[in-house]
Amino acid sequence: MRKKYRAIVFPVLLGSLLTACSSGNGTGQAGANEGGVTPTPPAKPGEPVELIFYSTSGEAEESFNGKFGDTIRAKFPDYKISYLRQEPGSMIPEVIMTGRRVDIVYNVFDYVLDPLLNSGIAYDMTDLAKQHGVDLTRFEPSVLDGIRRAGDGKLYMLPTSLQVPMVYYNKNLFNKFGVPFPKDGMSWEEMKATSQKLTRKDGDVQYLGFVGSQQYALKMTPFSDPYLDEKTGKSTFQRETWKKLIETIFIDTDANNGMKDYVIAKKALPNRLGFTNTQDVAMLHFHSEFPAAVPKDLEKIDWDMVALPTFPELKGVGGQATAVAMSITSMAKNKDAAMEVIKFLTSPEAQTANSKKGMMSVLKDESIQKAFGSESPFKDKNWKGAYYNKLAPISYKSTYELQVERVYTGAVLDAIRGEKDLNTVLRETAEKADKVVDELKAANKK
C-alpha cells in the first residue's frame, strides 16, 4: 500500500481533477483501503443531491460546464452540480483542512493519482462500478490496465476521454517556404527532414520547424518506459530508449541551432501560443484534445493535423494514450449518485456526443470512433489521424510521478542547450530524480 507524503505540490495542467477527505462521511460505505462496499442508500424522494467536482488544472468554470457540467445537468435535472477548482485558498490540503467536501476529482489520470493517494482521499470504485452495472469490458483495455497498475490493482478512477499524441501544422508556413505538408504514417527520419527545411530565419523572425512537448513526449513515450522502475523504485532515465527519444524529438529536428538558440535565450521551449498566436512554429507536438480545448486560438490559423511519426523498431506505434479520468473520493456524500453520473459520462450516448465534439472515446466502439470530430467547428480536419497509429502499452505510474516528471522535463532543456553531452545529462538527471524520491520517502516516515 502506498503511503502519504507531506510535501505535496500540485501542478496546473490542461484537463481537470479532484479532491476530498476522510471516509467518515456517514454514508455507510467502505473507504479506499477497506474490504467490502456497502451501497450508500439512495437519496430519498425530494432529498437534494449535490455533487461537487474539483479540477486541479485550475480551468475556468465555463470550460468545466462545456465539457461536463451542462451535459450532466441536462441528464440529471434534480442534481445540483457544483464546481471547485484549484487556486490559492482552494488547494486540496486547504480544502481538506477547512472541512469542505469534494465528491469527484478529475484530470489526466496520472495527475489524479497524486492528490488522491497522497491526501488520503482515494476510493476503490471496483465494487461500486459492479453494483451499478458498469461494463468494464467495453473500455480501451490499455487505459484500464494502466489505471489498475498505478493503483496497485484498485480502480481509483474511470476514464471519460482519451488523448493521444498528434502533430499539428500551420499550412501557411508550409506554403510560404514551399514544403510539402506532413502526412499520416511518417517516420521520425521524414519528420527530421521536414522540420529542418522549416527551421530558418526569415527577416527578423526565427521560424521553428517542429516543437516537441516535453510533457507529452515523456509521458506518452512509445517505448513505454516508466519514470521509475516498478520493482526498484529507481530512475530509468539512463536507458538507451530515453536517449533515443530525446535525440529524435528535440535535437535532430533542429537546424542551424534555431531551437537551441531559442532555449538558451528563453530558458524554455516554445509553447502552443507559438503555434497559434505568434505563428513562428510550423509543427506542434500536442495531444488530440487540443482543438476541443482551445478552439478560439486555433481559429486564428489555417491548420491541420497528422498522426505522430513512428520509430522503425516500433512500426505503427505512435505513443501511449492517456485519459481524462474521474475519481469518486472517500469523502463523497452520495457515492451512488456520483457513480451514476460517471456511468452516464462513459455511456455510448455521452461518448458519442463527446466524440463528435472532438474528444476521443474510451470505449472500443468503431461507430463512436468514426464519429470523431464530425460536429467540431473544424470538421474538415484530418480527425482519422488520431486513430492511425497503434497504442503503446501504458507505462507504470508511481506515486511520485509529478515530482519526477518535473526533473525529467528540465533535462530536456539541458539536452537541447548542449552544454553537456547527453549521457551526462541523463546520468545526472537520474541521480537527481532518485534524490527527490528519497527525500519524499524520508518525509513520509516522519
Side-chain angles (χ1 to χ4, degrees):
M1 182 56 63
R2 306 179 193 268
K3 296 181 179 180
K4 296 192 294 181
Y5 58 80
R6 297 175 183 176
I8 302 174
V9 182
F10 298 96
V12 177
L13 297 165
L14 286 175
S16 303
L17 197 9
L18 64 81
T19 151
C21 186
S22 69
S23 60
N25 51 49
T27 62
Q29 205 159 3
N33 302 326
E34 297 177 326
V37 175
T38 302
T40 302
K44 298 176 182 178
E47 181 179 333
V49 172
E50 180 184 21
L51 294 177
I52 303 171
F53 287 74
Y54 184 99
S55 162
T56 57
S57 73
E59 71 173 337
E61 187 167 0
E62 179 182 9
S63 177
F64 163 76
N65 287 334
K67 293 177 183 177
F68 307 111
D70 292 343
T71 300
I72 295 169
R73 293 183 186 101
K75 184 69 176 180
F76 301 91
D78 294 333
Y79 288 7
K80 179 181 179 182
I81 305 300
S82 300
Y83 176 69
L84 183 65
R85 67 176 183 173
Q86 174 180 292
E87 57 186 337
S90 292
M91 307 297 283
I92 295 254
E94 295 170 315
V95 171
I96 295 173
M97 287 176 61
T98 56
R100 286 176 287 174
R101 187 183 91 245
V102 176
D103 300 298
I104 296 175
V105 168
Y106 73 100
N107 199 359
V108 176
F109 92 86
D110 39 326
Y111 298 133
V112 177
L113 288 170
D114 189 310
L116 287 177
L117 294 172
N118 297 318
S119 296
I121 59 174
Y123 180 83
D124 184 0
M125 297 161 55
T126 301
D127 290 338
L128 194 60
K130 184 177 181 180
Q131 291 167 11
H132 284 259
V134 179
D135 184 0
L136 299 180
T137 65
R138 297 180 299 118
F139 289 77
E140 166 57 45
S142 68
V143 175
L144 282 189
D145 289 346
I147 287 172
R148 285 199 175 99
R149 189 178 179 190
D152 291 333
K154 294 182 172 59
L155 188 70
Y156 286 134
M157 62 201 76
L158 280 176
T160 56
S161 67
L162 295 185
Q163 295 176 359
V164 300
M166 300 286 293
V167 173
Y168 296 85
Y169 65 95
N170 184 331
K171 290 183 176 181
N172 289 335
L173 292 186
F174 278 81
N175 291 331
K176 177 182 177 70
F177 297 120
V179 178
F181 293 156
K183 59 185 183 296
D184 292 333
M186 290 178 67
S187 68
W188 277 109
E189 276 298 311
E190 290 173 306
M191 172 57 74
K192 171 183 173 180
T194 300
S195 176
Q196 290 181 347
K197 292 174 184 176
L198 291 157
T199 302
R200 60 173 74 187
K201 194 80 175 285
D202 187 63
D204 294 331
V205 181
Q206 173 64 61
Y207 290 97
L208 300 173
F210 177 85
V211 171
S213 162
Q214 299 141 285
Q215 178 189 355
Y216 296 113
L218 297 175
K219 74 192 273 88
M220 294 177 164
T221 167
F223 298 106
S224 298
D225 288 311
Y227 289 168
L228 301 177
D229 185 272
E230 188 170 5
K231 293 182 179 178
T232 66
K234 296 297 184 181
S235 171
T236 66
F237 216 51
Q238 292 188 79
R239 292 182 181 178
E240 282 297 312
T241 41
W242 283 121
K243 181 179 180 180
K244 182 167 188 174
L245 186 85
I246 292 172
E247 283 179 327
T248 301
I249 295 179
F250 298 100
I251 298 175
D252 293 348
T253 51
D254 196 9
N256 302 317
N257 291 327
M259 178 63 76
K260 179 178 179 179
D261 292 344
Y262 183 100
V263 168
I264 290 173
K266 303 289 187 180
K267 299 180 179 179
L269 281 170
N271 59 27
R272 64 175 182 82
L273 298 180
F275 181 71
T276 59
N277 290 17
T278 57
Q279 298 182 33
D280 47 17
V281 171
M283 292 181 287
L284 178 70
H285 174 205
F286 214 62
H287 64 71
S288 53
E289 213 162 292
F290 187 28
V294 288
K296 295 298 182 184
D297 283 347
L298 283 169
E299 287 175 357
K300 300 173 183 176
I301 63 173
D302 185 10
W303 63 277
D304 210 332
M305 56 186 168
V306 293
L308 195 71
T310 60
F311 289 89
E313 63 268 48
L314 294 173
K315 193 170 181 61
V317 178
Q320 300 173 52
T322 189
V324 174
M326 295 207 169
S327 300
I328 298 173
T329 68
S330 58
M331 68 191 314
K333 184 177 181 179
N334 192 322
K335 293 180 175 65
D336 283 301
M339 179 54 77
E340 280 301 307
V341 166
I342 294 175
K343 179 181 178 181
F344 164 67
L345 291 175
T346 61
S347 69
E349 174 190 352
Q351 290 287 298
T352 299
N354 283 340
S355 179
K356 291 177 179 179
K357 295 176 186 176
M359 299 165 68
M360 293 181 71
S361 176
V362 297
L363 303 182
K364 300 179 300 178
D365 188 318
E366 288 188 8
S367 64
I368 297 176
Q369 294 174 3
K370 288 178 180 178
F372 186 49
S374 61
E375 293 182 3
S376 163
F378 312 109
K379 61 181 66 177
D380 61 330
K381 305 303 180 185
N382 179 35
W383 294 95
K384 63 180 175 57
Y387 289 99
Y388 186 87
N389 288 326
K390 292 180 288 188
L391 296 177
I394 292 180
S395 55
Y396 164 70
K397 310 297 181 184
S398 77
T399 302
Y400 310 106
E401 202 75 1
L402 301 180
Q403 291 74 20
V404 174
E405 184 170 275
R406 292 189 192 101
V407 177
Y408 287 0
T409 54
V412 172
L413 299 180
D414 291 339
I416 294 171
R417 280 191 288 263
E419 296 168 357
K420 300 177 182 178
D421 69 89
L422 186 52
N423 286 329
T424 299
V425 170
L426 296 177
R427 175 178 56 78
E428 292 180 349
T429 301
E431 291 170 354
K432 185 177 180 181
D434 286 341
K435 182 179 179 181
V436 167
V437 172
D438 287 343
E439 289 173 349
L440 291 170
K441 288 180 177 178
N444 211 18
K445 296 177 181 178
K446 294 180 179 178

